[in-house]
Amino acid sequence: MMRTWQAVAAVVLVLAGCVAAPVPQPGVPQPGGPDVIITPAPDTPANASASARTFVSVVSRMEPAVERECLQRRTQPINCDFQFVVDDRAGLEPNAFQTVDPSGRPIIGFTLSLIGEARNADELAFVIGHEASHHILGHISRKTGAATVGAVILGGLASAYGGDPEAIRTAQDFGAQFGARYYSKDWELEADYLGAIITLNAGFDPEHGALFFARIPDPGDKILGTHPSRSARMGQVARAVADYRAGRVR
């Protein structure tokens, strides 16, 4: 099984950076409007080979859609040449992430367990759209800025109240964590909204894809939680689809 997944990872890495022409689904008018018809993708058989084929197919369709949206929507001169990678280490929890390499190139990563956990192409497409949206919306730089502000404020307060160097460092660390988390729920919802639009533009069904949330623990609405509740995220995706169908967004 591990050899199969490692082979999949190699194939996906080869795909990284290749800009394929978008492949619209039959009967799906583009772009958004009241007549848009999106057919939910069928569930993928529960085996590594089928999951791998689905993932590679979804990446080949989502990559050009993601890069097009990035170029059209970016407000800063960010790199829009996305690279897709797979972490094939055994035992990792289902997860996807977005980061940038030292040159500023955006990277979207997946664990093998997430690829295997996804039941259909719509779920994988929505995850890609969501993670790409974090880069397009500048969330990494905004998170860094929020963390810095939090560290400065709490560190300054600790110093003003006579804290020793250790107490000040502790306050700075806590402030950085608090600052980074303070806006994270809003950023997740922003990424859900734009991710749904990108998913629709690639011909996938984001509401069907967002059902992935129904199978993972609900984080609820914790004050310092990094993710909003499941119901909030599903509602955000539904709003994006409604706006798309009404022609309010492309």
Side-chain angles (χ1 to χ4, degrees):
M1 180 67 73
M2 182 54 62
R3 289 199 191 95
T4 301
W5 278 120
Q6 288 173 335
V8 173
V11 171
V12 174
L13 288 171
V14 170
L15 277 176
C18 300
V19 180
V23 182
Q25 286 187 335
V28 179
Q30 298 288 336
D35 298 326
V36 171
I37 301 171
I38 299 291
T39 303
D43 284 352
T44 302
N47 63 72
S49 179
S51 295
R53 288 195 299 270
T54 299
F55 181 69
V56 171
S57 174
V58 169
V59 169
S60 70
R61 287 175 56 179
M62 285 296 293
E63 183 176 8
V66 161
E67 294 182 348
R68 181 170 58 248
E69 292 294 326
C70 181
L71 290 169
Q72 293 175 347
R73 294 177 184 270
R74 64 184 177 182
T75 57
Q76 300 292 328
I78 58 175
N79 189 327
C80 291
D81 181 18
F82 282 79
Q83 181 180 21
F84 297 83
V85 300
V86 175
D87 189 334
D88 64 357
R89 290 175 295 171
L92 295 179
E93 294 292 326
N95 191 32
F97 62 89
Q98 188 272 311
T99 187
V100 294
D101 70 11
S103 71
R105 184 181 185 185
I107 298 171
I108 298 179
F110 307 82
T111 60
L112 289 178
S113 54
L114 184 142
I115 297 172
E117 185 75 16
R119 291 182 177 174
N120 52 66
D122 292 330
E123 292 185 351
L124 290 170
F126 180 70
V127 170
I128 291 173
H130 172 91
E131 295 300 333
S133 294
H134 281 307
H135 178 70
I136 297 170
L137 295 170
H139 288 163
I140 285 184
S141 60
R142 290 163 65 186
K143 181 176 181 178
T144 301
T148 300
V149 170
V152 170
I153 291 175
L154 288 192
L157 286 173
S159 177
Y161 281 92
D164 59 29
E166 182 63 28
I168 293 173
R169 282 194 296 272
T170 299
Q172 289 174 333
D173 290 343
F174 179 78
Q177 293 177 34
F178 181 82
R181 288 172 177 263
Y182 187 78
Y183 296 105
S184 62
K185 291 183 182 179
D186 291 337
W187 295 334
E188 290 298 323
L189 291 174
E190 289 178 4
D192 284 339
Y193 186 95
L194 179 55
I197 300 303
I198 297 172
T199 303
L200 282 164
N201 281 333
F204 293 99
D205 183 343
E207 288 186 289
H208 189 222
L211 292 177
F212 185 79
F213 297 144
R215 301 197 308 280
I216 60 177
D218 191 341
D221 196 20
K222 300 175 184 176
I223 293 176
L224 288 181
T226 57
H227 286 72
S229 67
R230 182 188 303 148
S231 61
R233 301 189 72 176
M234 298 293 287
Q236 186 78 331
V237 173
R239 280 189 288 275
V241 172
D243 287 347
Y244 187 89
R245 293 186 182 281
R248 290 190 287 268
V249 292
R250 56 171 170 74

